[in-house]
Amino acid sequence: MNDDTLHAIATAPDLRELQALRVRLLGKKGELTEGLKSLGALPPEERRARGAALHERKRAVEAALEARKAALERAALDARLAAERLDLTLPGERVPAGAHHLLTQVTNRLLDVFASLGYEVVVGPELEDDRHNFGALNFPPDHPARDTQDTFWTTDGRLLRTHTSPMQVRYMESHEPPFRVVVPGRVFRNEAVDATHEAQFHQLEALVVGERITMADLKGAITEMATALLGSGTRTRLLPTYFPFVEPGAEFAIWWQHPKTGREEWLELGGCGMVHPRVFEAVGYEGVTGFAFGFGIERLAMVSYQVSDIRDLFRGDLRLLEQFRGVA
Amino acid sequence: MRVPYGWLAELVEGLPPLQETADLLAGLGLGVETIDHVPGAPAGVRVASVLAAEPVSGALQRVEIDDGDRRHTVACGAPNVRVGMRAAYAPPGTRLPGFAAVLEVREVGGVRSEGMLCSPRELGIFEHAAGLLALADDAPVGAELAELWPADDVIELELTPNRADAFSLLGVARDLAAKLGTALRHPAAGLETAAGDPSVADGLEVRVADPERCPRFSLRRVDGVRVGPSPVWLQRRLALLGLRPRNVVVDVTNLVTFELGQPSHAYDLEALEGGVLEVRRAAPGERLVTLNEDELTLDPEDLVIATPAAEGGSRAIGLAGVIGGREDSVRAATTSVAVEVASFEPIGVRRTGKRHKLVTDARIRFERGVDPALPLTANARVTALLAELAGGRPHPGVRWVAAPAAAVPAIAFRPSQVGFLVDVEVPPDEQRRHLERIGCEVVVEAPDRWRVAPPTWRADLELEVDLVEEVARLHGYEHIGSTHPHLAFVPPPTDPTHRRLRERLVGAGMVEAIGYVFTSDEDLARARVPEPRVRLSEPQGIERAVLRTSLLPGLLAAARLNRDAARLALFEVGHVFLDHEEERVGLLWRGHGAASGWRPPQGHDVYAAKGQLEALAEGLGARLTMRPVGFDDLHPGVSAEVAWEGTPVGRFGRLHPEVAAAWGCGDVIVAELRLPLEACPPRLRELPRQPFAERDLAVVLPADVAYAELQARCAAAAGPRLVELFAFDVYQGPQVEAGHKSVALRFRFRHPDRALTDTEVDADMAAVMTALRDAGYAWRT
């Protein structure tokens, strides 16, 4: 055994060769093992000197083996890492992100606001009857107020609801006050279709009934909603108007900055008022007051996101739908 | 309704400037739509009289005029040019609104025309181009027309149907005066209003056969009428209202309709057989030609004004409360008229108007309700104007057929309700002032017990809450504060809009669409979905005639629209209308799944789509299974019924190639599931303490046996220790017999308490193999 051995270890080309060297030197029948085994046969003085030399030798070989092993492993790792290198600037493989419809996004945003204000979300049928859509909401038969809601009648005498207000009646018929509810949903008007008018659109309506709900509570609720949507300092305005199912009735507007023009102005949003006594009468409520307010989702969505043609919202054109990815 | 500001200012003392007035109106609930600035007659145009007119060729005439300074010759093609008339003359140098260039002297058909005579449209003052603006003697020859016909601003109001009283200048002025606390100048003030008498010696006769539909009817004879153009102020007033001036008689009745809100009609006496007017229901099939030349076939529900017919009986000459007939119209030669001012019952007028699709100024007012106290006042106003402007001589008496008016009950009112409901403090004396200013009579019985009688023109005031609104409205909604009520109400945590479902689908890369509920018979048939159950009675075209019975046709249309998209994954949550209305989710996939663009995309096949649905179910803790069932719209070999927790909820599969071809939507995979897809609450199971024992078995069986069937058979045979069983390979090809497939199954067995022995597992597998042999299947281990 000489320095060639250490040299062989230091230049072993791979881990297998190195292992072979380890077996040859340190294995059960390896050179050094055999040398150590044969020590017993030597006389004591020679055994000590020889033993010391052999052990010294074994430590040197072991150290050389470990060093070479570490070097080879590092080289192998380096080679593997180099081989596994990837260009991470190439596009990933993926399913493109999905998208909620813009109207769903706007509705969800509003529903979140109402949920935080303690409202229950309820929904109702789109195909309605005269009583729920008109009669119980104090639209007398043959009253011109019905002309303000151009109605799609069905051949079997039903109608497509012209507003979400029938749910006021349905909810009150099956629940007892006090409550706060909000009703999102699709509604229909038999009007000429153009860039700003569709025969179907969406509304959101809130109804609060309790022992003594006031018109100031109504204004407070609208202001809360506007604040949640647009931030603090938002102003709201009520102007008198007429809807058969509220008295006093009002239209409401919120003061905002138009996203396109940047001008601050009133955004006329919807109608509101105190629930008409005849509506309470129709559902069998006594001794309570309440307010309701409602507005169109499309208008809010269109001015907020600068959609110029309402019909684009219902065409299912991916090029439009995909633009509203990722937000919910 | 259009409200000319200048006219309003005459009726309301101290009317504030235009914009302030508009704001006041909006604050009163008389919604302001727009404010139009309406220009007056163009500068330089003068009143001229026509001295001579001589035909040149065709319609063209050489016309000699006098503009007050000198004579001019102009070429004129208007049909109404007459010697002696007064017309609007634009001399050379005038700039007319519709013309690019300044008017010059020019040759027209051989006539050297020094300027022109103008139609109303050429002057830009109202929409009429079929003749010259005809002026009456009140317009002095040589006068600047712009001085007689100045500009004005018109406030366009969008009136709500309850405010019948506001469909007139008087009504709008009354509200403003009440708000301002200033005086109202009533247009009929100072007029002597006759009491009305059923028997006046005027040679006329009125027979009201339906007093319910016509509770009041006044008729006054006016003789000596000269039918000609109205004075400039009247023509201008009508033009500002958006009406076309016609002749002084018609113009006066129109003016009063807008001024007082009471429609009226003037009959040519010669058209009334024996001077008799009858108010009756129409005979079935009776016909009437209206003023607008529409020929109507009447309904027995229609109320008509009739006059005796030469051949006996009577013939309709007008549709009561809606429109007059052609035959009774006032003509140029008319000298005697009978002025009708009546009340017609609103619902009847409304039904007739709707039946014949006629929206007229009369209908709009009668169907909302005209002040029952108005007919005699309005008759006095119309006849006084005819005397003043048309030289008419009204008969001293007014014929009056009226049923006794029902007394309007007073409303019990508690002023405390204003504070209670609106939460603004308005002192009682101020409340009383508001109510009295809009015409109510207030009797204070006790501090919080008033009796309030609304005026005859406010039939919309019926309940205490209506008076609360009146007080709040006049006080001003801007005084209402913002408060937040405390309610003992905690909303239940529900998800009726299926937000969780939508979020999962969007998270899986699907794009939400919203389609139309309207569709056509043809599209439903083409998509092979159920026939329509709900049909619209007045649809917007056959494309929108029925309600959808499935969400898929809408998604197929979207797939066609997006035919260039390499990848499509759409869904819609919406209602469909079958024997009942139900909510569904429709899904559509086309093209590849995950992709990078630079290496082959993953297949987006049926199993990938099914996997999405399974993942959806898994995420909601539910079990989704499919059973091969054929559906008309699906590929017969790739069509399944979908069950959610064991309950069938819809279908899934590849669109039938014929349907795909009919829609041009490409090869798509679709699903339609009924909502709600309920989430199942998680049920925690004890964690297994023992390892499982695994066995694999490849079963060779006929290709058309469903995997679900094989799985069920094996699971049943394997017994209770089987905890998991799934396919890890399905093979069909040269290695197995034709018409057969090899399904490699992996079985996992476990005992809850101890390790299983090989003998036990082998016994379970033997039972499986026995069952497979009984079914005639082969296997390889």
Side-chain angles (χ1 to χ4, degrees):
Chain A
M1 190 172 298
N2 49 37
D3 280 352
D4 288 350
T5 306
L6 291 180
H7 179 76
I9 291 171
T11 56
D14 55 33
L15 285 167
R16 232 183 61 202
E17 288 285 322
L18 193 67
Q19 181 61 16
L21 278 173
R22 175 189 291 279
V23 171
R24 186 154 65 80
L25 295 166
L26 300 175
K28 275 185 189 163
K29 296 203 167 135
E31 287 167 29
L32 278 167
T33 317
E34 290 294 331
L36 283 165
K37 273 191 216 159
S38 64
L39 281 179
L42 295 177
E45 296 80 40
E46 199 182 337
R47 187 196 305 164
R48 189 172 300 117
R50 177 89 177 129
L54 274 177
H55 278 293
E56 176 62 24
R57 183 69 184 162
K58 185 183 174 188
R59 273 193 297 276
V61 165
E62 278 174 344
L65 283 169
E66 279 315 304
R68 184 57 183 160
K69 186 176 175 226
L72 284 172
E73 278 176 350
R74 173 167 310 279
L77 182 62
D78 287 348
R80 183 183 141 204
L81 293 178
E84 286 174 354
R85 182 190 161 80
L86 291 178
D87 179 359
L88 294 187
T89 65
L90 276 169
E93 181 169 291
R94 65 198 180 94
V95 171
H100 284 94
H101 194 281
L102 174 61
L103 297 175
T104 302
Q105 292 183 33
V106 174
T107 305
N108 285 351
R109 173 116 192 263
L110 291 162
L111 291 182
D112 287 341
V113 169
F114 283 101
S116 72
L117 298 173
Y119 285 72
E120 178 186 358
V121 182
V122 295
V123 297
E126 292 170 2
L127 197 54
E128 269 292 4
D129 53 42
D130 187 281
R131 178 181 133 72
H132 285 94
N133 196 77
F134 290 127
L137 290 169
N138 192 34
F139 283 81
D142 290 304
H143 192 276
R146 292 189 172 216
D147 288 350
T148 61
Q149 312 228 341
D150 296 307
T151 310
F152 281 111
W153 294 91
T154 66
T155 50
D156 58 8
R158 290 180 289 170
L159 56 90
L160 285 170
R161 64 177 175 188
T162 57
H163 46 185
T164 43
S165 307
M167 259 318 280
Q168 291 189 15
V169 180
R170 289 188 180 275
Y171 188 87
M172 288 196 277
E173 280 174 340
S174 55
H175 294 78
E176 287 300 320
F179 57 77
R180 285 180 290 257
V181 294
V182 60
V183 190
R186 201 186 300 226
V187 301
F188 308 88
R189 300 277 170 93
N190 197 352
E191 291 176 351
V193 174
D194 61 29
T196 53
H197 297 86
E198 246 300 353
Q200 68 172 25
F201 54 98
H202 295 75
Q203 281 186 344
L204 189 118
E205 168 145 351
L207 172 69
V208 175
V209 177
E211 255 177 34
R212 193 206 159 184
I213 299 292
T214 70
M215 206 156 169
D217 295 334
L218 164 66
K219 186 151 187 213
I222 291 170
T223 307
E224 276 179 330
M225 179 190 75
T227 303
L229 280 180
L230 302 174
S232 57
T234 306
R235 283 190 293 150
T236 55
R237 179 183 76 181
L238 300 185
L239 288 176
T241 193
Y242 167 76
F243 302 101
F245 44 104
V246 288
E247 189 79 32
E251 58 180 40
F252 67 94
I254 56 182
W255 185 255
W256 82 328
Q257 188 177 31
H258 194 287
K260 192 166 183 183
T261 61
R263 243 201 349 253
E264 297 220 325
E265 60 191 22
W266 288 110
L267 172 68
E268 297 283 355
L269 211 51
C272 63
M274 302 305 292
V275 178
H276 198 287
R278 290 206 180 113
V279 176
F280 283 145
E281 205 174 292
V283 300
Y285 276 16
E286 271 176 32
V288 291
T289 59
F291 68 70
F293 65 95
F295 54 95
I297 300 293
E298 274 79 356
R299 181 165 151 67
L300 189 59
M302 289 174 72
V303 287
S304 300
Y305 292 87
Q306 295 165 42
V307 178
S308 56
D309 191 328
I310 191 171
R311 293 166 292 193
D312 288 343
L313 295 173
F314 302 117
R315 269 194 255 268
D317 190 331
L318 207 56
R319 293 168 304 170
L320 181 106
L321 299 175
E322 282 182 340
Q323 292 186 43
F324 300 108
R325 273 185 178 144
V327 197
Chain B
M1 198 186 69
R2 290 169 66 81
V3 178
Y5 176 79
W7 187 357
L8 193 61
E10 287 179 20
L11 302 185
V12 182
E13 202 169 87
L15 189 70
L18 176 66
Q19 187 57 53
E20 210 177 307
T21 295
D23 291 344
L24 276 178
L25 288 168
L28 285 166
L30 304 176
V32 175
E33 184 112 303
T34 55
I35 300 175
D36 294 340
H37 178 76
V38 182
V45 175
R46 306 173 75 173
V47 178
S49 67
V50 175
L51 304 175
E54 171 198 339
V56 179
S57 68
L60 191 70
Q61 302 189 68
R62 179 199 316 272
V63 179
E64 296 288 320
I65 59 158
D66 173 6
D67 74 351
D69 289 342
R70 60 186 195 86
R71 294 167 73 113
H72 300 275
T73 303
V74 293
C76 181
N80 66 334
V81 65
R82 299 275 181 281
V83 173
M85 82 179 290
R86 293 191 182 182
Y89 165 63
T94 310
R95 187 177 286 281
L96 292 175
F99 292 68
V102 168
L103 213 54
E104 286 170 15
V105 176
R106 63 190 188 104
E107 197 82 6
V108 180
V111 181
R112 185 172 180 279
S113 189
E114 302 167 313
M116 63 187 279
L117 295 178
C118 303
S119 73
R121 181 197 275 172
E122 285 159 344
L123 294 166
I125 52 172
F126 62 89
E127 200 42 45
H128 181 61
L132 302 180
L133 174 71
L135 297 168
D137 296 351
D138 67 304
V141 170
E144 267 281 327
L145 188 60
E147 280 172 23
L148 305 173
W149 195 302
D152 200 355
D153 294 292
V154 175
I155 303 170
E156 173 112 43
L157 297 180
E158 191 182 22
L159 293 171
T160 53
N162 61 319
R163 291 297 304 274
D165 65 300
F167 277 84
S168 65
L169 266 291
L170 171 64
V172 174
R174 194 144 42 197
D175 242 22
L176 277 171
K179 175 75 183 175
L180 293 165
T182 58
L184 170 78
R185 297 196 201 92
H186 196 296
L191 277 185
E192 197 180 315
T193 302
D197 187 337
S199 50
V200 177
D202 54 5
L204 305 177
E205 188 182 344
V206 171
R207 302 174 190 151
V208 177
D210 191 341
E212 271 181 28
R213 295 276 294 274
C214 175
R216 286 163 291 278
F217 193 102
S218 72
L219 195 68
R220 190 173 197 183
R221 181 177 183 136
V222 182
D223 293 302
V225 170
R226 288 188 307 273
V227 178
S230 295
V232 178
W233 70 265
L234 175 50
Q235 293 199 43
R236 174 171 171 269
R237 210 155 254 192
L238 294 178
L240 290 170
L241 291 170
L243 301 180
R244 173 155 81 85
R246 289 164 193 274
N247 63 57
V248 66
V249 177
V250 173
D251 291 352
V252 161
T253 58
N254 282 337
L255 180 85
V256 172
T257 301
F258 281 81
E259 182 186 71
L260 303 180
Q262 168 72 60
S264 58
H265 191 76
Y267 294 91
D268 182 348
L269 259 190
E270 284 184 22
L272 303 185
E273 196 62 40
V276 177
L277 271 183
E278 200 178 317
V279 184
R280 61 159 171 85
R281 299 290 188 89
E286 189 170 359
R287 298 176 88 79
L288 172 71
V289 180
T290 70
L291 270 175
N292 302 341
E293 308 278 333
D294 290 328
E295 188 167 351
L296 307 179
T297 301
L298 303 178
D299 185 278
E301 287 286 307
D302 292 331
L303 192 70
V304 298
I305 314 295
T307 193
E311 62 273 19
S314 68
R315 60 187 172 85
I317 54 170
L319 204 47
V322 180
I323 196 165
R326 183 182 58 189
E327 298 188 11
D328 68 272
S329 302
V330 171
R331 287 171 292 247
T334 299
T335 54
S336 292
V337 298
V339 175
E340 165 208 300
V341 186
S343 297
F344 297 109
E345 180 268 330
I347 293 175
V349 170
R350 176 174 163 79
R351 288 187 178 163
T352 288
K354 279 177 90 79
R355 186 177 298 122
H356 300 293
K357 297 191 167 55
L358 290 168
V359 182
T360 61
D361 292 326
R363 173 191 160 185
I364 287 172
R365 285 164 181 78
F366 280 123
E367 72 178 2
R368 283 162 175 76
V370 174
D371 179 0
L374 210 44
L376 288 173
T377 309
N379 203 319
R381 174 73 174 149
V382 170
T383 48
L385 283 169
L386 288 180
E388 182 189 335
L389 308 176
R393 295 187 310 277
H395 193 274
V398 180
R399 186 164 287 276
W400 178 237
V401 181
V408 180
I411 302 166
F413 177 70
R414 293 163 294 172
S416 63
Q417 283 294 296
V418 173
F420 179 78
L421 201 61
V422 187
D423 205 9
V424 288
E425 285 316 313
V426 186
D429 55 334
E430 196 182 326
Q431 293 197 33
R432 181 174 180 162
R433 257 199 318 276
H434 286 314
L435 292 172
E436 284 174 345
R437 274 191 198 139
I438 58 164
C440 293
E441 280 177 26
V442 179
V443 177
V444 178
E445 292 176 338
D448 202 29
R449 201 176 72 230
W450 297 4
R451 297 201 70 75
V452 178
T456 51
W457 56 85
R458 288 300 301 272
D460 59 312
L461 303 182
E462 293 176 90
L463 305 176
E464 181 181 49
V465 70
D466 297 328
L467 300 177
V468 170
E469 183 183 69
E470 289 305 302
V471 171
R473 183 173 77 88
L474 289 159
H475 183 67
Y477 278 12
E478 67 273 15
H479 298 298
I480 300 170
S482 282
T483 55
H484 308 292
H486 293 284
L487 282 191
F489 177 73
V490 178
T494 54
D495 180 21
T497 60
H498 313 290
R499 285 179 72 164
R500 277 195 296 263
L501 171 79
R502 290 184 217 237
E503 270 153 28
R504 284 182 184 281
L505 293 175
V506 168
M510 302 202 73
V511 173
E512 186 185 18
I514 297 179
Y516 291 98
V517 299
F518 313 107
T519 183
S520 64
D521 289 275
E522 194 209 333
D523 274 0
L524 293 178
R526 206 151 55 99
R528 298 193 187 166
V529 296
E531 287 183 356
R533 307 290 210 282
V534 184
R535 207 165 271 287
L536 299 179
S537 55
E538 285 176 60
Q540 298 183 331
I542 57 163
E543 291 305 307
R544 289 181 163 207
V546 300
L547 301 189
R548 61 186 175 186
T549 57
S550 163
L551 299 176
L552 293 189
L555 290 172
L556 298 182
R560 179 184 154 76
L561 177 73
N562 296 298
R563 55 190 171 277
D564 296 333
R567 174 190 180 274
L568 199 59
L570 291 176
F571 76 97
E572 176 173 7
V573 174
H575 292 223
V576 300
F577 303 85
L578 293 150
D579 293 331
H580 57 277
E581 180 176 347
E582 64 179 45
E583 248 184 314
R584 290 184 179 178
V585 57
L587 305 105
L588 179 145
W589 297 265
R590 190 183 67 206
H592 57 74
S596 61
W598 53 276
R599 56 179 184 174
Q602 291 176 23
H604 204 99
D605 63 1
V606 170
Y607 292 108
K610 182 181 176 188
Q612 272 201 4
L613 293 182
E614 287 169 336
L616 172 73
E618 203 169 64
L620 295 170
R623 195 166 44 88
L624 179 139
T625 50
M626 293 195 185
R627 188 166 74 89
V629 172
F631 289 94
D632 292 347
D633 55 339
L634 300 182
H635 186 304
V638 193
S639 172
E641 180 189 78
V642 180
W644 188 269
E645 285 290 299
T647 306
V649 293
R651 66 192 189 287
F652 168 82
R654 187 170 163 193
L655 193 67
H656 196 293
E658 287 176 349
V659 179
W663 283 84
C665 61
D667 189 5
V668 297
I669 299 154
V670 292
E672 186 172 28
L673 310 177
R674 196 167 58 236
L675 297 178
L677 296 172
E678 298 283 7
C680 298
R683 289 175 298 267
L684 201 63
R685 287 183 306 268
E686 211 177 326
L687 300 180
R689 285 182 305 244
Q690 301 294 331
F692 53 74
E694 203 169 82
R695 294 286 191 282
D696 290 351
L697 187 70
V699 184
V700 178
L701 71 169
D704 61 357
V705 177
Y707 168 73
E709 194 184 320
L710 172 67
Q711 196 201 30
R713 188 181 293 275
C714 291
R721 289 188 287 247
L722 182 76
V723 291
E724 223 177 318
L725 166 59
F726 57 90
F728 64 93
D729 186 41
V730 178
Y731 175 79
Q732 225 175 325
Q735 308 286 321
V736 295
E737 194 186 333
H740 285 61
K741 62 184 171 187
S742 166
V743 180
L745 296 173
R746 182 157 293 163
F747 297 75
R748 284 176 177 162
F749 299 92
R750 180 188 287 128
H751 191 281
D753 306 321
R754 58 177 174 79
L756 286 173
T757 63
D758 278 353
T759 325
E760 286 169 319
V761 178
D762 289 345
D764 288 347
M765 286 306 292
V768 170
M769 288 181 267
T770 305
L772 293 176
R773 185 189 308 119
D774 291 348
Y777 307 156
W779 65 86
R780 301 177 299 199
T781 45

